[in-house]
Amino acid sequence: MNNPLHSHALRGVLFASIGILFACGGGNGELPPPPAPPPPPPPAAAPSTPPVASAAPTASAEPPAPPPAAPVTLTAGQASPDPAAPLPTVKIVSPKKGQIVPLEKASDFEVKLNVDHWKTAMGDAHVHLILDDRPYKPIYDTKAPVKLSELVGSDAIAEGAHVLVAFPSRANHESVKTAGALSTVEFWIGKKGADKPQDMTKPTLVYSRPKGEYKGDMANHVLIDFQLVNAALAPAKQRVHISVTGPGIEGDKSADVTQFGTPYYLDNLQTGSYSVRLELLGPDGVVLPGAWNSVARTFSVSR
């Protein structure tokens, strides 16, 4: 038989357990909300660095200005010594003086020279051959004939009177000016007429240098050279006036040559085009009559 006291104790224990269960979370209707999660820790501070000062704007570095070019000079030089005897001689053997060359054969007509006591070689001593005051053609093989067409460039050979001039030249293009060195001949193309562009029995200037283009070191110490026919230079007589214009020259650069054979040189030339005028003047300072006695030529410099 059950003990009433024992049953009553069991029921008390059962109700106490149920109470404890509800107190430990078996229900949540009346429980307080859970606590808020802790805030995240603050981010680690970056190590402090001193502020970088912005570079002050600097002016662009410009290269220093080049020094001013030295002024162009025109000065007399020392003439080369005359060749040793026997002195060189040049003669134009074709065409003959006064010869009439048919117009249709003029381009292929051969000019022939006879050169004695002057040894020529490519790039060395040679002969300057000139037709009608045109720029010369250098002749290194004096035994080989030269066609007239080689002396006029792209121009046609005109009908009428013509003049050939030949003289020996050194490797630096300074002409030999001793007796017998220069030869001239007048001839005709087509038919003989009354026109004579240059009377070679009168005082005549023959232009030789400068000529063409001068590159690099070639532009240093540029020679001015000419020949004379039936003229005698002296302070109180005839003289050759040189005038040069171009880069580095204000106005013109000029000189008077009163002694035949004295070479003149241009120094400190700059890149560009230059003009040289040579004039054969009488005692009164007036250009002597003749188509060749006032000649202007251009040449270029490339540094």
Side-chain angles (χ1 to χ4, degrees), residues 95 98-107 109 148 187-191:
Q99 182 175 345
I100 301 174
V101 178
L103 181 60
E104 64 274 12
K105 297 182 178 180
S107 292
F109 183 84
L148 279 178
F187 66 103
W188 300 86
I189 298 292
K191 61 182 180 180

Side-chain angles (χ1 to χ4, degrees), residues 82-98:
D82 288 340
L87 296 176
T89 60
V90 175
K91 292 189 180 300
I92 301 170
V93 296
S94 174
K96 303 290 186 183
K97 181 178 180 180

Side-chain angles (χ1 to χ4, degrees), residues 17 19 59 150-151 157 164 175 191 193 218 225 233 248 251 254 260 295:
S17 299
E150 297 178 49
L151 303 177
I157 301 175
L164 279 165
S175 59
K191 61 182 180 180
M218 290 176 58
D225 187 74
L233 302 187
S254 61
F260 185 50
V295 179

Side-chain angles (χ1 to χ4, degrees), residues 203 231 238 280-284 286-291 293-294:
Q238 298 164 352
L280 180 58
L281 308 180
D284 56 0
V286 176
V287 177
L288 294 177
N293 290 338
S294 179

